[in-house]
């Protein structure tokens, strides 16, 4: 077990395709940096050189769902060891585009692997590290698909698949409601949505520091 002291703050962003997650993360990062907060912006699968290579394999090849699951978890273990934990131990705020809830929503809820087994593998890959805050960028799956410009093989599966993924996020949120903060992507401009996320982060960080 690693014993690195975690002093930073870990925020993950989740959502279905075309929710506007990536734009929102960049807007949030910009605002935090303007406040003098050290930010690490990263993503899954990816965020390190090894994990980016695994990402390429996952997104370009078709494979057995269990193989795919283990690759996501392998990329995650590497990402945590090389990027997330070091940043958190330096007191940085880590903003991560997708994390363990994506594995539950995509591999378990949408693709049908066991929710309990995926949760156990998530726990193994993260050694129990959980985000302090998870932003659900929620969008109607049909609107999201219309917006998504760079279709990968997940997006080709259409609205029904996105509905299942969304239901997976909602299930995860029901299991740990306090970790989540939900914003509807159509409810404001990227700048307005980012302001809401920043306010929520400041509130929670304030609460943690007492
Ligand atoms: P990406 O193009 O980054 O999608 P997005 O911009 O919507 O985040 O591709 C990442 C894909 O990987 C996305 O379709 C969701 C999927 N994914 C999983 O299926 N399981 C996971 O654990 C993670 C992290 C991502």
């Amino acid at each position: 077990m690693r014993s690195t002291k975690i002093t930073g703050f870990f925020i993950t962003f989740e959502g279905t395709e075309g929710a506007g997650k990536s734009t929102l993360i960049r807007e949030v990062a910009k605002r935090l940096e303007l406040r003098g907060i050290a930010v690490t912006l990263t993503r899954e699968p990816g965020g390190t050189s090894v994990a980016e290579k695994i990402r390429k394999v996952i997104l370009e090849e078709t494979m057995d769902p269990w193989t795919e699951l283990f690759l996501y978890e392998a990329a995650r273990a590497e990402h945590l060891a090389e990027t997330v934990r070091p940043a958190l131990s330096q007191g940085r705020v880590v903003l991560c585009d997708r994390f363990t809830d994506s594995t539950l929503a995509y591999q378990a809820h949408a693709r049908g692997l066991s929710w309990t087994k995926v949760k156990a593998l998530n726990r193994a890959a993260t050694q129990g590290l959980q985000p302090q805050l998870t932003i659900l960028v929620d969008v109607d799956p049909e609107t999201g698909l219309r917006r998504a410009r760079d279709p990968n093989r997940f997006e080709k599966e259409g609205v029904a698949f996105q509905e299942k993924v969304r239901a997976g996020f909602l299930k995860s949120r029901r299991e740990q409601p306090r970790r989540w903060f939900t914003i509807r992507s159509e409810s404001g401009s990227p700048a307005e949505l980012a302001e809401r996320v920043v306010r929520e982060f400041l509130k929670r960080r304030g609460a943690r520091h007492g």
Side-chain angles (χ1 to χ4, degrees):
M1 265 300 202
R2 288 181 184 80
S3 58
T4 329
K5 196 161 175 286
I6 302 292
T7 54
F9 201 97
F10 186 22
I11 309 178
T12 58
F13 292 75
E14 301 282 8
T16 50
E17 317 296 335
K21 212 164 24 68
S22 313
T23 314
L24 176 64
I25 296 175
R26 281 196 302 273
E27 288 288 328
V28 171
K30 215 164 67 188
R31 281 169 175 71
L32 294 180
E33 278 162 356
L34 281 173
R35 289 172 175 265
I37 295 170
V39 173
T40 294
L41 190 57
T42 188
R43 67 170 178 185
E44 287 209 349
T48 76
S49 121
V50 169
E52 289 290 335
K53 284 186 183 156
I54 298 175
R55 174 190 177 91
K56 232 165 116 55
V57 175
I58 296 174
L59 297 183
E60 286 176 5
E61 308 285 342
T62 303
M63 64 191 83
D64 177 81
W66 285 100
T67 313
E68 189 181 73
L69 172 63
F70 280 105
L71 287 181
Y72 278 117
E73 300 295 3
R76 177 161 299 140
E78 182 68 12
H79 181 224
L80 282 164
E82 293 299 314
T83 305
V84 177
R85 282 182 195 275
L88 290 175
S89 63
Q90 287 164 22
R92 302 176 72 88
V93 173
V94 175
L95 305 179
C96 186
D97 189 342
R98 299 196 180 282
F99 195 56
T100 43
D101 298 298
S102 276
T103 327
L104 285 166
Y106 283 82
Q107 279 63 53
H109 205 268
R111 294 217 177 275
L113 301 185
S114 149
W115 185 270
T116 317
K117 283 183 185 156
V118 170
K119 233 164 55 179
L121 284 175
N122 277 345
R123 222 171 8 247
T126 58
Q127 299 180 37
L129 181 73
Q130 288 204 348
Q132 278 121 317
L133 172 61
T134 297
I135 309 296
L136 176 61
V137 193
D138 198 19
V139 69
D140 161 54
E142 213 171 310
T143 313
L145 278 185
R146 254 185 277 121
R147 272 208 221 144
R149 270 172 304 156
D150 177 24
N152 60 26
R153 65 193 173 80
F154 291 99
E155 288 157 17
K156 289 193 195 112
E157 295 180 57
V159 176
F161 183 75
Q162 298 303 319
E163 296 275 10
K164 280 197 218 162
V165 172
R166 179 169 181 269
F169 286 129
L170 299 183
K171 178 171 176 182
S172 201
R173 188 181 67 175
R174 277 198 302 278
E175 288 188 347
Q176 284 186 312
R178 280 202 315 224
R179 176 163 62 86
W180 292 78
F181 180 67
T182 304
I183 46 176
R184 288 289 302 179
S185 85
E186 306 99 318
S187 68
S189 66
E192 285 163 347
L193 302 184
E195 276 303 327
R196 271 186 241 160
V197 172
V198 169
R199 274 201 302 275
E200 186 64 21
F201 156 70
L202 292 171
K203 199 170 89 189
R204 294 193 186 211
R205 192 184 58 168
R208 190 182 66 174
H209 292 322

